[in-house]
Every structure is written in C-alpha cells, then in structure tokens.
Amino acid sequence: MRAPRWTAVAVVLAATVVQLLVATFARDLPQFAGKGFTARLVFYPLMMLVVPLLWRVLDRSGRRAPWAGFTLVMLPFLVDVSGNTLDLYDSLVWWDDALHFLNWFLLTLGLGLVLDVVALRPRWARAVAVVGGGALLALLWEIGEWWTFIRHGTELATAYEDTLGDMTLGTTGSTVALLVLVGLSPGRSGPSGRSRRGTRPAAVRG
C-alpha cells in the first residue's frame, strides 16, 4: 500500500514541531539559550504552512498539488531546528554558513516547483523569480533574526559581517536552485507550443 503523497510534508512538519517544543521548554540548555525559541514555536509552523495554504486558496491551474515542492519549502525549518538540537551551530564552525547556502537552495528550489517557474517567459523572468526572490527572503530572514534575538544577545558586535555573509550564501544557494530547476526541464514546451529546444511537437496521429 502506497503512502499518501502528503506523507513527507506531515513528517517534516511533525519532526520540526516536536523539536521546537523541546527547545522551548528546555531553553536553559546551552544549545537553545538566547535563540528565540518561544517565537520560533509560533512562527516556524506558520511559515511552513503558508505556501500549501496559499496554494489551496489561490491556485487555479488545475495542476496536482506539488507535494515535493511543499516538502522542500518546509525542510529548511527542520534542518535549522535539528542543527540547534544537536548543538551543531556551536560545535561546528562552518555549520551556520553551510546551512544558509543549503537552506536557501532547498527553499527556492521548492518555491520554484510550486510556482512552476520554468514555464515563465521571457526566460530572464525565471532568474528574477528564483534568485531575486531568494535574495529578498534572505533579507527578511536576517531582519527576523536581528529582531528576535540578535539585538539583545551576545552576537551584536559581529552581526553586520555575519549578515552580509549569510545573505551572499543564501543568494548563491538560490542561484544554484535556478540552475537545477532549468536543468530538470530541458524539453519543457512553452506557451507558444515550441519546446525549449526550438522544435514543434509532433502531431498526434489519429
């Protein structure tokens, strides 16, 4: 018996919420201290669910729900919380930088699948949607980090340099996501009926 297509979404959401609850009620542990987990417990599930909910309300394309895209959009939140649970942010000096690249790759790859950006014309609009959108989301994320725990925490002295690096890594991850999206659909037909290789589909024989 095959599992429902939404199984991965449910597993990622549940694993994230469980860890958020642990972090919120055990915030005296060093890996959770001063990292705004009370706010994360509220906002992470909301941010994870906003894309599937908007799809449900707004989509009129007739496509099947892009569950793989939803899962990819949710994964960065699970990866972030798991990194704190395992104390990887404090024990591995490269973890935070790697996560900003990886999580923005996953996030914008997922959004690209949900929004079907490979169908956008002209082609440069894909870069605006994926890379430009990823850069904007990176900016909003850094603002959220500053507001929730940096401005009153111990990282304020290094926040400027860290923010620039994080935004650069996030934008780079979004650029790689764009390349993957385009590479996964080399023969996609555009609105004109021509494939991306410039050939017209063969007529269906009766």
Side-chain angles (χ1 to χ4, degrees):
M1 182 176 178
R2 293 181 61 184
R5 297 181 70 234
W6 46 262
T7 299
V9 166
V11 169
V12 170
L13 179 62
T16 304
V17 171
V18 167
Q19 290 186 84
L20 285 170
L21 287 169
V22 171
T24 300
F25 293 104
R27 55 179 175 265
D28 290 337
L29 293 176
Q31 64 264 44
F32 302 135
K35 296 185 178 179
F37 272 96
T38 301
R40 295 191 198 203
L41 179 59
V42 175
F43 289 107
Y44 272 24
L46 290 176
M47 289 188 289
M48 293 173 78
L49 290 170
V50 67
V51 172
L53 290 176
L54 285 175
W55 167 271
R56 178 75 174 177
V57 172
L58 300 176
D59 182 70
R60 298 293 183 271
S61 67
R63 288 193 297 146
R64 297 173 68 179
W67 292 107
F70 296 155
T71 303
L72 287 168
V73 168
M74 291 181 170
L75 268 176
F77 299 95
L78 174 60
V79 174
D80 176 65
V81 176
S82 299
N84 282 284
T85 299
L86 298 173
D87 199 23
L88 298 179
Y89 283 98
D90 295 327
S91 61
L92 298 176
V93 68
W94 49 265
W95 179 256
D96 182 68
D97 290 338
L99 262 289
H100 276 277
F101 173 85
L102 174 63
N103 281 348
W104 253 255
F105 168 75
L106 294 172
L107 176 65
T108 51
L109 181 63
L111 289 173
L113 293 174
V114 171
L115 298 174
D116 196 21
V117 296
V118 294
L120 289 177
R121 297 296 186 276
R123 291 183 178 182
W124 55 260
R126 304 170 192 170
V128 173
V130 179
V131 182
L136 176 60
L137 290 172
L139 172 61
L140 294 174
W141 182 267
E142 293 301 320
I143 292 172
E145 277 195 343
W146 177 83
W147 179 261
T148 53
F149 64 89
I150 290 178
R151 64 194 177 111
H152 297 310
T154 59
E155 303 174 13
L156 190 59
T158 60
Y160 178 73
E161 182 178 355
D162 186 62
T163 296
L164 290 177
D166 290 347
M167 290 185 65
T168 300
L169 288 165
T171 304
T172 303
S174 297
T175 303
V176 176
L178 173 66
L179 297 176
V180 171
L181 285 166
V182 173
L184 288 175
S185 305
R188 178 76 174 261
S189 293
S192 66
R194 293 183 181 274
S195 72
R196 288 213 233 130
R197 294 194 178 108
T199 58
R200 186 174 290 275
V204 178
R205 296 182 180 178

